[in-house]
């Protein structure tokens, strides 16, 4: 009745942006990502007959453990209820969660959080599910990208056409390619517009249909780039996809601007480095921070190169990592 899991954040090369069904979190497009080994959420869930109400405590990066705010509490309880219904377990639960990185700054903290929560709750409830079923259940938690944190390494979340056909699978294990993500944190303030609102507004952009049309070919490029370990092929397609997502956000009604001045300066610097022959490419989620995709030999150079930028608050380095897993060390 007690279980602990560790789940990674993931960075998408082909972004999930826009849904066909809100209630079931069905995406408008297939997305492709890589798990980030050093950016994780650890969660312990315990069902306890002495509890009258679910208890949810979170230790955000660099802070002490606090009670979850009402919005987060509600989302956690909904996921607990979903699993209680499946496992026919009527008990309330205590949930404690810890992050190794800042939340809400475009490093997909809700992905690792909802993934870790789902897996720990399933295990604690005694439910037996396979990987495909786990990804579907995680997806239903509302943070769709969380389902990509279940399988190992490089992952595809298939759009599907129903709840049972929209699930995530591993394209390659994390050992296939030591691809790195150097994350430049331009701001660690909570993002103003959530991905939730962004997804809902995507269809108001006049360019959204074009984005969806382009994705077919781009997704093929990204998958081929991963399979053949071709960073140029993967990197160029990832950059195009990030620009496409932000173009949709900026042309939604009302528009959403996730970028800050520093974001643009970094993009320009990446293009300058590329012109000098450095193999580095950028991608950006629903926030101002920039993810630099590169291979091992370039990591130190990039850390040094960007260490003098006054607006960069923090640099995180992660590489392709495992998916969600169990831990024997409980948080309480
Ligand atoms: C831009 O609805 O999965 O990161 O709940 O905010 O983590 P959160 O996000 P979700 O949308 C993710 C949007 C994205 C692109 C992506 O990761 O595919």
């Amino acid at each position: 009745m007690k279980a602990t899991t560790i789940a990674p954040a993931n960075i998408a090369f082909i972004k999930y942006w826009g849904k066909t069904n809100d209630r079931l979190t069905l995406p408008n497009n297939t997305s492709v990502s890589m798990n980030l080994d050093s950016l994780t959420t650890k969660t312990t869930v315990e069902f306890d007959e002495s509890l009258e109400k679910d208890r949810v405590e979170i230790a955000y990066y660099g802070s002490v453990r606090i009670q979850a705010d009402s919005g987060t509490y509600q989302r956690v309880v909904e996921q607990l209820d979903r699993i209680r219904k499946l496992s026919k377990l009527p008990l309330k639960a205590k949930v404690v969660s810890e992050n190794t990185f800042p939340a809400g700054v475009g490093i997909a903290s809700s992905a690792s959080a909802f993934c870790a929560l789902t897996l720990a709750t399933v295990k604690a409830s005694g439910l037996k599910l396979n990987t495909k079923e786990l990804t579907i259940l995680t997806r239903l938690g509302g943070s769709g990208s969380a389902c990509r944190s279940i399988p190992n390494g490089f992952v595809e979340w298939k759009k599907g056409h129903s709840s049972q056909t929209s699930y995530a699978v591993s394209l390659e294990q994390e050992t296939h390619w030591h691809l790195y993500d150097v994350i430049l944190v331009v701001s660690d303030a909570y993002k103003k517009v959530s991905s939730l609102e962004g997804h809902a507004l995507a269809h108001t952009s006049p360019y959204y249909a074009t984005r969806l049309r382009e994705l077919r070919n781009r997704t093929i490029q990204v998958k081929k780039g991963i399979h053949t370990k071709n960073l140029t092929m993967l990197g160029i397609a990832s950059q195009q996809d990030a620009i496409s997502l932000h173009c949709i956000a900026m042309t939604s009604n009302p528009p959403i601007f996730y970028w800050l001045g520093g974001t643009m300066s970094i993009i320009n610097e990446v293009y300058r480095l590329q012109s000098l022959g450095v193999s580095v490419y950028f991608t950006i989620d629903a926030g101002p921070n920039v993810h630099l995709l590169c291979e091992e030999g370039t990591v130190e150079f990039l850390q040094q190169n960007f260490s003098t930028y006054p607006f960069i608050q923090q640099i995180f380095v992660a590489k392709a990592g495992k998916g969600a897993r169990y831990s024997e060390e409980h948080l309480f």
Side-chain angles (χ1 to χ4, degrees):
M1 297 241 279
K2 183 172 186 174
T4 298
T5 52
I6 296 173
N10 66 70
I11 180 67
F13 308 121
I14 296 289
K15 313 282 187 195
Y16 148 52
W17 202 241
K19 297 179 224 187
T20 56
N21 185 315
D22 269 344
R23 191 178 53 86
L24 297 174
T25 319
L26 291 175
N28 238 327
N29 64 274
T30 289
S31 53
V32 180
S33 63
M34 153 177 119
N35 288 327
L36 301 173
D37 68 346
S38 59
L39 271 51
T40 57
T41 299
K42 186 173 184 181
T43 300
T44 300
V45 175
E46 182 174 32
F47 287 99
D48 181 343
E49 54 195 15
S50 69
L51 290 176
E52 284 177 7
K53 196 173 174 275
D54 292 315
R55 280 179 57 188
V56 182
E57 291 170 16
I58 301 176
Y60 288 104
Y61 176 72
S63 327
V64 294
R65 216 177 264 182
I66 52 165
Q67 302 280 338
D69 62 62
S70 62
T72 306
Y73 180 81
Q74 199 51 42
R75 285 185 68 187
V76 170
V77 171
E78 277 168 23
Q79 189 68 334
L80 293 174
D81 283 344
R82 206 169 269 121
I83 297 164
R84 274 191 279 251
K85 203 170 156 192
L86 283 174
S87 61
K88 300 190 174 61
L89 189 72
L91 303 182
K92 298 294 179 197
K94 177 173 177 187
V95 177
V96 175
S97 193
E98 264 180 27
N99 252 357
T100 60
F101 61 100
V105 295
I107 323 182
S109 57
S110 54
S112 55
F114 274 86
C115 182
L117 170 72
T118 306
L119 191 64
T121 312
V122 165
K123 177 95 194 286
S125 74
L127 207 60
K128 297 270 179 292
L129 298 179
N130 62 31
T131 306
K132 178 178 166 183
E133 292 165 331
L134 278 170
T135 71
I136 292 171
L137 189 55
T138 304
R139 189 203 79 224
L140 287 166
S143 170
S145 56
C147 75
R148 296 189 310 238
S149 291
I150 292 269
N152 285 334
F154 298 83
V155 179
E156 175 179 34
W157 170 17
K158 294 172 189 296
K159 173 182 184 227
H161 46 76
S162 64
S163 193
Q164 288 312 302
T165 54
S166 184
Y167 59 94
V169 289
S170 196
L171 293 170
E172 293 285 357
Q173 295 295 306
E174 68 285 358
T175 47
H176 164 71
W177 189 11
H178 296 307
L179 187 65
Y180 277 76
D181 180 5
V182 176
I183 305 161
L184 307 180
V185 177
V186 174
S187 166
D188 62 6
Y190 234 79
K191 63 188 168 205
K192 290 196 198 83
V193 185
S194 68
S195 309
L196 200 69
E197 291 165 82
H199 290 301
L201 290 176
H203 72 279
T204 64
S205 164
Y207 307 108
Y208 191 51
T210 308
R211 164 170 171 74
L212 294 178
R213 246 194 332 271
E214 286 174 349
L215 278 179
R216 197 184 144 75
N217 207 15
R218 197 179 291 144
T219 305
I220 293 172
Q221 293 298 306
V222 160
K223 287 167 72 172
K224 199 167 159 195
I226 291 171
H227 289 309
T228 60
K229 302 188 235 180
N230 183 333
L231 180 55
T232 310
M233 187 182 284
L234 172 70
I236 287 179
S238 300
Q239 283 184 182
Q240 285 170 344
D241 199 59
I243 296 168
S244 159
L245 180 152
H246 287 273
C247 167
I248 299 304
M250 290 178 202
T251 53
S252 289
N253 186 15
I256 311 168
F257 292 90
Y258 287 112
W259 295 2
L260 296 174
T263 313
M264 197 62 236
S265 304
I266 296 168
I267 292 173
N268 283 332
E269 176 63 2
V270 171
Y271 284 130
R272 190 186 72 86
L273 293 174
Q274 285 174 0
S275 74
L276 297 175
V278 181
S279 200
V280 57
Y281 299 88
F282 67 83
T283 183
I284 307 166
D285 274 348
N289 305 321
V290 185
H291 295 249
L292 302 179
L293 306 174
C294 66
E295 288 180 302
E296 193 166 8
T298 319
V299 172
E300 218 181 295
F301 164 76
L302 291 174
Q303 281 177 295
Q304 267 168 18
N305 189 74
F306 286 101
S307 65
T308 55
Y309 281 56
F311 54 81
I312 296 179
Q313 301 179 353
Q314 256 176 314
I315 302 181
F316 290 94
V317 177
K319 65 173 188 309
K322 280 190 189 309
R325 61 241 177 227
Y326 302 118
S327 165
E328 293 304 318
E329 290 162 31
H330 302 306
L331 290 173
F332 61 90

